[in-house]
């Protein structure tokens, strides 16, 4: 996953090859040689990708544009991507469901797993394979540019993905009710949340 995340963040400009086997050196700086090419190859053939993304950096605390670009560039239609507590965004991601998972720290420790189905053509499949391995990186950069322009505007995330928003807010409402029950009905210090459909 470290390689995927390094690629998703485009290596801070340090990653200069991606996807094809020409990445024989260490593009991610992790001592794994062509780990980015390997990771992209694995993702291209995967039926499911799971990212424990709770602590992944996010410009607004909810959407993951860099990871979205990396997965969107290589994963085939019909495959699934699962994220925790944060959302994938872009034209290729269709929200399927949200599942609440109990954490290890009691009833207040809830992990929300968002399930996304990939749709549409795989952008990297149309990329020219070049000797330098830069074509795949350009595809990811293009995906990221589109996601930033179309999905990371000033609009809030809920206006762009109503189904995921209703699932998340409904889950938060249930969690607040559990917290109230644990406090014996005492609502002091518990925020009020109303879900509008």
């Amino acid at each position: 996953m470290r390689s995927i995340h390094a690629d998703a963040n485009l290596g801070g400009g340090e990653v200069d090859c991606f996807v094809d086997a020409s990445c024989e050196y260490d593009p991610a700086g992790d001592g794994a040689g062509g780990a980015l090419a390997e990771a992209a190859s694995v993702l291209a053939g995967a039926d499911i990708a799971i990212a424990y993304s709770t602590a992944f950096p996010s410009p607004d605390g909810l959407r993951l544009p860099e990871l979205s670009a990396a997965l969107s560039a290589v994963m085939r239609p019909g495959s699934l991507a699962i994220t925790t507590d944060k959302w994938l965004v872009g034209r290729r991601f269709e929200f399927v469901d949200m599942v609440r998972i109990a954490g290890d720290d009691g009833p207040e420790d809830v992990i929300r797993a968002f399930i996304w189905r990939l749709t549409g053509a795989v952008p990297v499949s149309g990329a020219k394979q070049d000797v330098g391995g830069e074509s795949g990186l350009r595809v990811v950069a293009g995906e990221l540019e589109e996601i930033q322009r179309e999905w990371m505007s000033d609009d809030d995330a809920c206006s762009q993905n109503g189904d995921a928003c209703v699932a998340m807010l409904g889950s938060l409402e249930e969690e607040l009710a559990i917290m109230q029950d644990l406090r014996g009905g005492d609502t002091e210090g518990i925020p009020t949340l109303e879900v509008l459909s």
Side-chain angles (χ1 to χ4, degrees):
M1 206 57 185
R2 184 175 179 203
S3 293
I4 305 299
H5 193 58
D7 170 56
N9 285 291
L10 300 179
E14 296 171 22
V15 178
D16 58 7
C17 75
F18 173 73
V19 175
D20 59 31
S22 66
C23 293
E24 295 175 7
Y25 56 99
D26 187 12
D30 63 4
L36 292 179
E38 282 180 45
S41 178
V42 168
L43 281 174
D47 291 324
I48 188 168
I50 301 171
Y52 187 71
S53 55
T54 302
F56 280 18
S58 169
D60 64 2
L62 182 61
R63 295 176 280 189
L64 297 165
E66 291 87 2
L67 182 62
S68 298
L71 297 178
S72 175
V74 297
M75 290 189 76
R76 67 181 185 270
S79 57
L80 298 176
I82 300 173
T83 56
T84 56
D85 298 319
K86 294 186 181 172
W87 294 0
L88 296 174
V89 290
R91 62 180 156 64
R92 293 204 61 219
F93 297 103
E94 172 187 87
F95 175 71
V96 174
D97 202 357
M98 185 205 73
V99 179
R100 289 173 38 145
I101 302 167
D104 294 335
D105 297 327
E108 294 178 4
D109 183 17
V110 176
I111 299 166
R112 288 166 189 82
F114 294 94
I115 304 168
W116 311 92
R117 179 178 294 111
L118 279 98
T119 63
V122 181
V124 81
S125 66
K128 176 184 171 199
Q129 295 299 312
D130 59 348
V131 177
E134 296 177 5
S135 60
L137 184 60
R138 283 192 298 273
V139 169
V140 174
E143 287 290 295
L144 181 58
E145 182 180 312
E146 178 184 322
I147 287 169
Q148 294 285 15
R149 183 181 63 250
E150 301 295 329
W151 295 84
M152 297 301 295
S153 64
D154 290 335
D155 294 337
D156 68 85
C158 283
S159 69
Q160 296 171 332
N161 202 327
D163 292 341
C165 187
V166 167
M168 180 183 68
L169 292 177
S171 171
L172 290 170
E173 188 175 60
E174 290 172 19
E175 189 174 333
L176 291 173
I178 290 170
M179 290 171 59
Q180 183 177 354
D181 287 347
L182 289 174
R183 291 182 172 187
D186 180 14
T187 60
E188 187 174 330
I190 298 177
T192 302
L193 177 68
E194 180 181 352
V195 178
L196 304 174
S197 303

